[in-house]
Amino acid sequence: AVRDFDGNLHIIPNSKVMNSTVINGKNGTWRRGSLYIELSAQTTPDQLESFQEVVKAAIEAPTKARRCEFGICRMTITDMGFSWRTTFYVNDPQGVDAQDIMDLESVCLVEAVRALREGGYQLANLDRAEAPRVL
């Protein structure tokens, strides 16, 4: 079974796979990247609700060398706050390789952190840095 970028599941019989040429989509025109951001436990409900919009705007900012498209955000609660996993997609007719995605993950993460800080969000790592240490 193979799942496409739209999430549709395609079931291919073994007999067709064994007698066919398989093309590696990893070096294709579409690739997915992920960002991991953890917000402070002091984050307000309004900030949690607007997180997705803030990060989407940062990811899709027109200043990037390649156009990134926002995917999804998923939140989990951690001991220090709220951890978000955000995905984005890149489509380039010349192809997108793993190094391109790693570079874009870094660029998108910096832009997202900048936008969150400007919006008054506090990252959980700042809480960790200021937490009392037990020796």
Side-chain angles (χ1 to χ4, degrees):
V2 177
R3 191 170 300 278
D4 64 21
F5 283 107
D6 295 327
N8 300 315
L9 185 64
H10 301 274
I11 299 174
I12 304 164
N14 286 341
S15 60
K16 286 196 177 230
V17 173
M18 296 306 292
N19 297 322
S20 300
T21 302
V22 177
I23 299 170
N24 181 358
K26 294 279 187 186
N27 293 324
T29 62
W30 280 95
R31 289 294 287 255
R32 180 182 71 209
S34 296
L35 307 178
Y36 299 90
I37 299 172
E38 188 174 5
L39 299 177
S40 166
Q42 304 301 317
T43 305
T44 67
D46 289 341
Q47 288 176 318
L48 291 174
E49 285 180 11
S50 63
F51 176 87
Q52 184 170 316
E53 290 178 30
V54 172
V55 173
K56 180 179 187 221
I59 287 172
E60 294 182 348
T63 58
K64 301 208 183 0
R66 286 202 164 136
R67 175 109 171 100
C68 297
E69 295 180 28
F70 177 80
I72 60 168
C73 277
R74 295 287 183 254
M75 179 186 71
T76 58
I77 297 173
T78 67
D79 60 333
M80 294 301 287
F82 306 93
S83 180
W84 291 85
R85 177 178 183 250
T86 302
T87 59
F88 65 90
Y89 297 93
V90 179
N91 183 14
D92 189 326
Q94 271 66 52
V96 183
D97 64 23
Q99 185 63 50
D100 293 332
I101 289 298
M102 288 188 288
D103 293 344
L104 284 168
E105 284 174 338
S106 295
V107 170
C108 288
L109 183 58
V110 168
E111 292 301 318
V113 168
R114 178 178 290 123
L116 291 166
R117 295 298 300 267
E118 289 172 359
Y121 292 79
Q122 184 167 328
L123 301 178
N125 62 349
L126 292 176
D127 290 346
R128 281 188 187 90
E130 296 170 357
R133 291 187 171 58
V134 178
L135 299 177

